[in-house]
Amino acid sequence: MDDDSLIDDGPPPGPDQRAERTLGALVCVVVGLVLAMFVFVFHEAWPSFAHNGLHWFGTGGSVDNQIDAIYTSGDNAARAIYTFHAWPLIWSTILITGGAAIVAFVCSLFVAVFIVEFAPDWLRAALQPVVRLLAMVPSVVYGLLGVVVLVPFINNDLISEHAKASVTPIITLDGYSLLAAVVILALMISPLMIAIFVNGLRAVPRGWLEGSLALGVNPWRTMWKVGVRTARPALIAGTVIATARGLGEAVMLEMISGSVGFAPNPADGLVFIYEPSRPLAAAIIANIDQLTSPPMRHTLYAMGAVLLFSAALLSFAGWAAKQPLIRYGLVS
């Protein structure tokens, strides 16, 4: 008898094992695609970073003039220009994304607490589909809302003639501003935050809340001291996801943030919130038709690489913020 026939290979893999292997393979494919994306983007961006070094992130000159020079130099490969100082775009990205995330977090948390704990059943049933609908609205619709409603309101009712005259030699105030970008972006990412916050608050064991109420603590304090604190992992996750979406938002911000690469200066006083502020993502959209120029292509990929790295850093920050909660057994 052949010795090979005596070898028992065991039973064939069951459905659970096949599903596990399939999911494992899909995870490997997704991780591979993400790594490939990082490698490709940073490879294309490297000529711009290599030419400028750390000065790429610094200040100096007009961003718009530098972009024009980079694009036109693509016609002459022997004299390609890569000089670029992206600080105005980076600063605008920080201001817009950070401001919108703060505003959206505060508003979303209050709305989520109201929906979960204090809203009547009929109002809760009406609010939940509305929130989901707002989360699915295309960003260009929010941009159109900003152009038609908010920008004219800021220009006609909030910016005084004195404020316009005070910065006229440097920049024109016309409503396309940091304020408009922050308000519309906050409105755009809030539904996503609310949906995640609501799910997190509902996951809090009801017995914990009822125990606090039984001790005589009022419902408002119970929700904040027990419900919100317990749902901190969901609050962190919702904030990270919504902020990452805001970080990469381009179409809407290109429509309402301003058409120049300008860094709003807080030293200008209150008027700085009315100054135009173009972030990195909007700058990519504004110059996407210039990819035919090799130096411009590398510069645009460099902007994308900064956004990609920032999103990864944001995800890491969310993970780090959860570690103390894991350490003390508040979340697994």
Side-chain angles (χ1 to χ4, degrees), residues 114-129 202:
F114 174 75
I115 291 175
V116 172
E117 190 65 22
F118 301 104
D121 291 340
W122 65 269
L123 184 57
R124 184 183 297 115
L127 285 176
Q128 290 177 339
R202 282 182 174 163

Side-chain angles (χ1 to χ4, degrees), residues 173-194:
L173 303 183
D174 55 5
Y176 294 90
S177 59
L178 171 64
L179 177 62
V182 168
V183 170
I184 297 298
L185 185 60
L187 180 64
M188 195 180 84
I189 65 177
S190 289
L192 182 59
M193 279 192 183
I194 293 171

Side-chain angles (χ1 to χ4, degrees), residues 156-325:
N156 299 328
D157 299 306
L158 297 184
I159 307 177
S160 64
E161 292 301 324
H162 173 72
K164 292 181 180 181
S166 66
V167 295
T168 295
I170 302 173
I171 203 72
T172 300
L173 303 183
D174 55 5
Y176 294 90
S177 59
L178 171 64
L179 177 62
V182 168
V183 170
I184 297 298
L185 185 60
L187 180 64
M188 195 180 84
I189 65 177
S190 289
L192 182 59
M193 279 192 183
I194 293 171
I196 298 175
F197 291 177
V198 166
N199 290 335
L201 291 171
R202 282 182 174 163
V204 177
R206 194 66 194 175
W208 295 7
L209 301 175
E210 292 174 350
S212 177
L213 293 172
L215 292 174
V217 181
N218 65 62
W220 180 257
R221 188 174 180 84
T222 292
M223 196 62 192
W224 284 102
K225 293 297 184 179
V226 179
V228 172
R229 288 193 176 187
T230 306
R232 281 180 293 181
L235 303 185
I236 293 172
T239 303
V240 169
I241 293 173
T243 304
R245 182 188 177 187
L247 186 68
E249 177 54 41
V251 175
M252 181 274 292
L253 292 179
E254 170 60 17
M255 294 172 68
I256 67 171
S257 62
S259 59
V260 294
F262 182 78
N265 186 3
D268 294 339
L270 183 61
V271 73
F272 101 97
I273 65 174
Y274 304 129
E275 295 173 348
S277 180
R278 170 177 280 177
L280 284 167
I284 295 175
I285 288 293
N287 300 284
I288 197 67
D289 58 339
Q290 300 179 5
L291 284 172
T292 53
S293 170
M296 193 64 212
R297 183 178 71 251
H298 296 309
T299 302
L300 293 179
Y301 270 107
M303 297 182 195
V306 172
L307 290 174
L308 193 60
F309 178 78
S310 300
L313 195 63
L314 189 64
S315 178
F316 175 78
W319 171 84
K322 290 173 60 176
Q323 296 313 298
L325 303 179

Side-chain angles (χ1 to χ4, degrees), residues 40-65:
F40 175 77
V41 171
F42 279 91
H43 176 267
E44 289 293 321
W46 180 248
S48 181
F49 288 138
H51 178 90
N52 293 281
L54 292 178
H55 294 292
W56 195 96
F57 302 92
T59 61
S62 168
V63 169
D64 297 317
N65 292 339

